[in-house]
Amino acid sequence: SRRPKPKRMASTRLNVPGLDGRCAGASRAAATLALGGADLASLAGGSPVASEFPLPAVQDLDRFENKVQELVKPEHGTTTLGFIFRDGVIIAVDSRASQGSYVSSQTVKKVIEINPYLVGTMAGGAADCAFWQRNLGMQCRMFELKNKKRITVCAASKMLANTMYSYKGMGLSMGSMIGGWDPSGPAIYYVDSDGQRTKGTIFSVGSGSLYAYGVLDQGYKWDMDVDTAVELGQRAIYHAQFRDAVSGGTCSVYHITKDGWTKIRGNNHYDMHYQYYPGGHPTAANDVI
């Protein structure tokens, strides 16, 4: 039987030199493997194309691809925390971004201001957190326009959790706190990239969170005044920065009340170190052996 005449490609096709030959070569090479090395020239009615996509010159291609994926999506590090007390909500974060053991930035803004009464924190992939929390800001604004009232912290965190659940298993990396003030009072929710959503009073997220929890557990009291609460949040972030290699930069502290959020502090880690330990940290090694 006669072969059907191939249809003409659309005029909007990619104009890449040699692309047709490479695609044909790769397809025929794959078909050759599938057919156990059969001669495709007789099957296709023409001579096979020699050119094909080059593969990495490695012995174990699968292992190489797994290693490359680890390099493209490296380990993350950060320290963020939030807690509710008598006079509102305190959110404190560091500002260091890392790619594995490489410190890529010391000035990342890890508090995303969703609306004047609601903020979110970044932990995990910086791009994932920034994009989806800005997307949450858009959803919250649409809610306000539709319902003629401000969205609650509970509803905003549920929107983010629903979005994350719809992308579950697709490679997102995010562990965020959504904190704010609504008509029912202050609230904090933890939301991650698996769609988990948890309400709580004290949270710390990131690689330095264990160090921050140690300070928070020792110093937290419900009836603290604002200055004591701000100092507690800053001190917890400082100690996490001191002990965790991938937390550092500056410490930003936000206070959220019924009137909205306010940024209270943005101190540098080195300034805080000499503020807390003017003569040096007692456990620091001074003598090189």
Side-chain angles (χ1 to χ4, degrees), residues 273-274 279-289:
H273 179 75
Y274 291 107
H281 197 279
T283 62
N286 297 318
D287 298 328
V288 179
I289 300 176

Side-chain angles (χ1 to χ4, degrees), residues 61-119:
L61 183 60
D62 292 336
R63 184 179 179 185
F64 174 78
E65 290 178 347
N66 291 333
K67 289 292 184 182
V68 169
Q69 290 179 5
E70 293 177 5
L71 293 174
V72 172
K73 198 85 170 181
E75 296 295 328
H76 312 288
T78 188
T79 304
T80 63
L81 65 86
F83 59 85
I84 303 173
F85 70 114
R86 181 188 62 190
D87 295 323
V89 180
I90 292 292
I91 300 290
V93 299
D94 76 320
S95 66
R96 176 173 291 181
S98 58
Q99 299 174 346
S101 59
Y102 173 70
V103 176
S104 53
S105 176
Q106 292 274 60
T107 57
V108 176
K109 185 178 180 181
K110 296 187 181 181
V111 173
I112 297 176
E113 295 135 3
I114 298 170
N115 66 32
Y117 299 87
L118 194 64
V119 300

Side-chain angles (χ1 to χ4, degrees), residues 4 26 31 58 77 79 113-114 118 124 129 131 168 179 196 202 221 224 230 246 252 264 269-270 281:
V58 295
T79 304
E113 295 135 3
I114 298 170
L118 194 64
C129 294
F131 178 85
K168 185 176 181 179
Q196 176 183 342
I202 303 176
K221 294 180 180 178
M224 293 182 291
V230 169
V246 285
S252 298
I264 305 296
H269 171 75
Y270 297 105
H281 197 279

Side-chain angles (χ1 to χ4, degrees), residues 204-266:
S204 184
V205 185
S207 56
S209 60
L210 294 179
Y211 307 109
Y213 269 129
V215 177
L216 291 174
D217 290 342
Q218 185 271 334
Y220 174 80
K221 294 180 180 178
W222 171 260
D223 57 351
M224 293 182 291
D225 57 35
V226 174
D227 292 338
T228 304
V230 169
E231 178 62 26
L232 176 63
Q234 177 179 281
R235 185 156 44 89
I237 292 294
Y238 160 76
H239 283 286
Q241 291 173 332
F242 184 79
R243 292 296 181 185
D244 181 34
V246 285
S247 297
T250 61
C251 173
S252 298
V253 183
Y254 283 68
H255 181 212
I256 309 173
T257 66
K258 63 180 180 180
D259 298 320
W261 57 261
T262 305
K263 184 175 181 180
I264 305 296
R265 296 185 184 179

Side-chain angles (χ1 to χ4, degrees), residues 136-148:
L136 175 63
M138 179 191 68
Q139 293 185 60
C140 292
R141 181 57 178 157
M142 294 297 293
F143 178 93
E144 293 176 4
L145 293 173
K146 181 179 180 180
N147 297 280
K148 302 297 188 290

